[in-house]
Amino acid sequence: MKGIKPSLYFVPFSLPLYLLSGLTAQVQAQSYYANKTWQVSQTFKPPQRGKLPASAGGSTRGSSCLTGKKLIVPLIPPDKLGLTFAQHPTFFWYIPPSQLKTAKFLLLTEDQNIFYETSFTLPNKPGIISFKLPDSAPALAVGKTYHWYLTIVCNTQDSSGNPTVDGWVERTQPEATLSQALAKANLYKLPTIYAEAGIWHEALTSLVQLRRTEPNNFKARLDWRQFFKSVGLNAIASEPLIDCCTSKNQPQN
């Protein structure tokens, strides 16, 4: 027809409004995450290392005084050794339901001398607890491996039945390129940098900080589950984070 210019665009059909709205939201979400610098898979990659001593930890001794069949679970990698850059790292455990109130933490040197020991009060509910080695405690030496024990005190007279778990921690130093990456990273990126480098204590600590800072962040929750699954701890990934614990006494040198 004269006077009518042909359209430059051909629209074969029109989407219902609710579908168009959903598609727009999906595209916006994809664009949002594509621009995020923290789009990562939180799989922990343990470093290649030699074998630990035959007494390497992670096992549980004694459980008769705990409620039900659940045990204490140390949050450590499969090889039972957690690397750290920190002089005073943070340790994590899952504590099952229990009426017991006191836990003891012991840190030994490679030659089995006491490096640090303390006790702290357990929370009233089960969940994942943490204990940061106090700044007043001796600093971990670079290149040294320490053997730690956590014991739940059931019987103060006979410790043979007290539930105990153990593991190892070693302080190391980052290379220059890793130090530069960490210095530039924000809270969202830190977990992945540490996880890729095999630095267990800081990887888990930064993930916990992110979960506490943004408890409703769906991406953070997914990364949390993936991290736990990668080290065989998926059974406790849904357990709550509990505010705990602080040393009852001054550190012993």
Side-chain angles (χ1 to χ4, degrees), residues 6-11:
S7 174
L8 296 177
Y9 301 96
F10 175 69
V11 180

Side-chain angles (χ1 to χ4, degrees), residues 69-216:
K69 297 182 179 180
K70 291 187 175 181
L71 302 175
I72 309 168
V73 179
L75 273 60
I76 50 179
D79 65 359
K80 316 305 181 187
L81 170 66
L83 296 184
T84 182
F85 291 147
Q87 296 181 4
H88 302 95
T90 302
F91 301 82
F92 295 87
W93 305 271
Y94 164 72
I95 302 297
S98 173
Q99 300 299 317
L100 304 171
K101 298 301 179 184
T102 302
K104 289 187 176 181
F105 178 78
L106 176 64
L107 197 60
L108 302 178
T109 61
E110 292 175 330
D111 53 5
Q112 299 299 297
N113 289 322
I114 295 177
F115 183 79
Y116 174 80
E117 63 178 333
T118 190
S119 60
F120 52 79
T121 301
L122 293 171
N124 294 322
K125 52 187 177 180
I128 295 172
I129 68 168
S130 63
F131 174 73
K132 181 184 181 300
L133 201 63
D135 292 341
S136 57
L140 301 189
V142 173
K144 297 293 184 180
T145 303
Y146 301 84
H147 196 176
W148 60 259
Y149 294 84
L150 180 76
T151 300
I152 307 300
V153 180
C154 299
N155 189 329
T156 57
Q157 303 300 320
D158 181 8
S159 62
S160 61
N162 291 341
T164 300
V165 291
D166 65 323
W168 297 78
V169 59
E170 179 182 326
R171 185 183 169 201
T172 185
Q173 287 183 318
E175 297 178 352
T177 53
L178 180 55
S179 293
Q180 293 171 3
L182 290 170
K184 297 176 181 178
N186 57 26
L187 181 59
Y188 301 105
K189 189 64 176 177
L190 282 176
T192 246
I193 296 177
Y194 285 122
E196 289 283 335
I199 307 302
W200 174 261
H201 285 269
E202 280 77 357
L204 182 53
T205 299
S206 56
L207 273 175
V208 168
Q209 291 174 342
L210 184 55
R211 284 293 309 276
R212 291 190 183 279
T213 303
E214 300 190 21
N216 298 319

